[in-house]
Amino acid sequence: MAGNQTQKKAIVFIAEGSEEMEVVITVDVLRRAGVRVVLLAVGVTSGPVVCSRGVGMVPDAYLGDDTVKIGTFDAVVVPGGMGGAEAISQNAQVRSILAEFHAQHKIVAAICAGSLAIKTAGIQAKAPQPLRLTSHPSVRAQLELDFVYKDDRVVVDNNLVTSRGPGTAFEFALALVSLLAGDAKAREVAAPMVLNFSV
Amino acid sequence: MAGNQTQKKAIVFIAEGSEEMEVVITVDVLRRAGVRVVLLAVGVTSGPVVCSRGVGMVPDAYLGDDTVKIGTFDAVVVPGGMGGAEAISQNAQVRSILAEFHAQHKIVAAICAGSLAIKTAGIQAKAPQPLRLTSHPSVRAQLELDFVYKDDRVVVDNNLVTSRGPGTAFEFALALVSLLAGDAKAREVAAPMVLNFSV
């Protein structure tokens, strides 16, 4: 698939304290679907990133690396894990990337505490109507005044895709596959993973 | 919890080609339950391990490292991913560790193609009755003659715990938590992950 001009491309952010299950499930499922994924480190400039439960993960690139042409990507994803979500959502460059992707009708996705980045990016201020989203229940109070807060496991509001926690990460990743590569691809990818739900 | 003499300890093996979701879900969920986990590399002696979908993960130690006192652990876990499962199941030291743990009634666990290691370790030859297990459906044919093959998402046969794929990894990890730390701990760990099933 490499070099295929129709291949979709996604950035998955990672920072110290990111929830490793949410990171890995998203990256892995998207790659199973043929999406080119760049795991992009925020707030770390070399070496592996230590996630929320101590797993060290090697990013593909570091934010600020000129070789990553962010404007050419189709989707950006913010994982949870409180420490990671705070580092990512407070980063000025990330905030402008999220706002720009949303303005261009590209996919902006977040899971768990990662949904905080939707708020800090100021996306809702420019939206024509209130945006619908969800998050980990623990950060609901920080979001429900600014958004139409939903309790669904995955919420798709046009190109804004949000979800709740590690246990919803497969549904979240497959929703992204549906948007980027179609429902048939999502079903094809889901089957060999032996999930307990249908797509 | 570090230094707590009652703290349970588990080894999770990892090799080039291991399924990163199965590795990370197991490590993360066990650590959420207070189990001390060592991510132990097989067939790699330094640096990160590149998993099945290209995610580089940093192991905590490398097989053969004298500082890891394998005999003091309570459980060993073999993840899937065909390349990783083959490297792990063909490793002579791993085979003797699995056989020794099973003989000592410690937990031996495998998921997906990782169940092949149960066969190569020769555990069934010494068992008083046929062992019940499951695996990824794609390696069923390599196992069903030697074992009582089950299609359940998680199979617990005394201290032998097996499961099917990335989509069963949460159930698998929580079954290990139940055995190592009790059902109440499994429920406590499950709640904030927002799973779509009860434990």
Side-chain angles (χ1 to χ4, degrees):
Chain A
M1 293 292 286
N4 182 335
Q5 294 195 352
T6 64
Q7 186 184 27
K8 298 291 185 173
K9 303 196 295 177
I11 287 168
V12 177
F13 292 115
I14 183 171
E16 300 275 334
S18 287
E19 217 304 322
E20 42 270 75
M21 299 190 282
E22 294 166 357
V23 170
V24 160
I25 292 169
T26 305
V27 171
D28 187 313
V29 171
L30 287 173
R31 286 182 176 160
R32 283 171 179 250
V35 176
R36 189 183 146 215
V37 179
V38 171
L39 185 57
L40 190 63
V42 176
V44 177
T45 54
S46 67
V49 177
V50 181
C51 293
S52 65
R53 271 73 190 182
V55 177
M57 225 168 282
V58 183
D60 299 309
Y62 300 87
L63 187 64
D65 182 339
D66 290 342
T67 63
V68 180
K69 306 298 182 198
I70 291 172
T72 67
F73 282 75
D74 304 287
V76 284
V77 185
V78 182
M82 190 54 72
E86 286 180 348
I88 293 167
S89 64
Q90 296 304 324
N91 183 284
Q93 195 178 347
V94 170
R95 294 200 305 234
S96 59
I97 292 167
L98 296 185
E100 191 173 328
F101 270 59
H102 192 257
Q104 295 175 353
H105 308 290
K106 292 178 170 183
I107 294 170
V108 175
I111 183 167
C112 196
S115 295
L116 293 173
I118 307 301
K119 180 175 175 177
T120 56
I123 293 173
Q124 74 281 10
K126 293 174 189 160
Q129 65 262 344
L131 293 167
R132 285 173 286 128
L133 59 60
T134 192
S135 70
H136 194 271
S138 63
V139 297
R140 177 189 185 121
Q142 297 176 62
L143 294 166
E144 60 187 352
L145 296 181
D146 295 290
F147 298 92
V148 179
Y149 193 92
K150 310 288 281 183
D151 287 319
D152 301 298
R153 298 175 61 79
V154 179
V155 174
V156 180
D157 184 351
N158 294 301
N159 293 319
L160 180 65
V161 182
T162 51
S163 190
R164 310 210 80 184
T168 68
F170 282 104
E171 288 126 294
F172 173 66
L174 288 165
L176 295 175
V177 170
S178 283
L179 288 170
L180 288 166
D183 292 343
K185 179 59 76 174
R187 284 192 293 273
E188 177 193 320
V189 166
M193 295 199 295
V194 199
L195 298 161
N196 68 349
F197 61 91
S198 297
V199 293
Chain B
M1 291 291 287
N4 181 335
Q5 294 194 353
T6 65
Q7 187 183 27
K8 298 291 185 172
K9 303 197 296 177
I11 287 168
V12 177
F13 292 115
I14 183 171
E16 300 274 335
S18 287
E19 218 304 321
E20 43 271 74
M21 298 190 283
E22 294 166 358
V23 170
V24 161
I25 292 169
T26 305
V27 171
D28 186 314
V29 172
L30 287 173
R31 285 182 177 161
R32 282 170 180 252
V35 176
R36 188 183 147 213
V37 179
V38 172
L39 185 56
L40 190 63
V42 176
V44 177
T45 54
S46 67
V49 178
V50 181
C51 292
S52 66
R53 271 73 188 182
V55 177
M57 225 168 281
V58 183
D60 299 308
Y62 300 87
L63 187 64
D65 182 339
D66 290 342
T67 62
V68 180
K69 307 297 182 196
I70 290 172
T72 67
F73 282 75
D74 304 287
V76 284
V77 184
V78 182
M82 191 53 73
E86 286 180 348
I88 294 167
S89 63
Q90 295 304 321
N91 183 285
Q93 195 177 346
V94 169
R95 295 199 305 234
S96 59
I97 291 167
L98 296 184
E100 191 174 325
F101 270 58
H102 192 256
Q104 294 174 356
H105 308 290
K106 292 178 171 183
I107 294 170
V108 175
I111 183 166
C112 196
S115 295
L116 293 172
I118 307 301
K119 179 175 175 177
T120 56
I123 292 172
Q124 74 282 11
K126 293 174 188 158
Q129 66 263 343
L131 294 168
R132 285 173 286 128
L133 59 61
T134 193
S135 70
H136 195 269
S138 63
V139 298
R140 178 189 184 123
Q142 297 176 62
L143 295 166
E144 61 186 353
L145 297 179
D146 295 290
F147 299 90
V148 180
Y149 193 91
K150 310 289 280 184
D151 287 319
D152 301 298
R153 297 175 62 80
V154 179
V155 175
V156 180
D157 185 351
N158 294 302
N159 293 318
L160 180 65
V161 182
T162 51
S163 190
R164 309 211 81 184
T168 68
F170 282 105
E171 289 127 294
F172 173 67
L174 288 166
L176 295 176
V177 170
S178 283
L179 288 170
L180 288 165
D183 293 343
K185 179 59 77 175
R187 284 192 293 273
E188 176 192 321
V189 165
M193 295 199 294
V194 200
L195 298 161
N196 68 350
F197 61 91
S198 298
V199 293

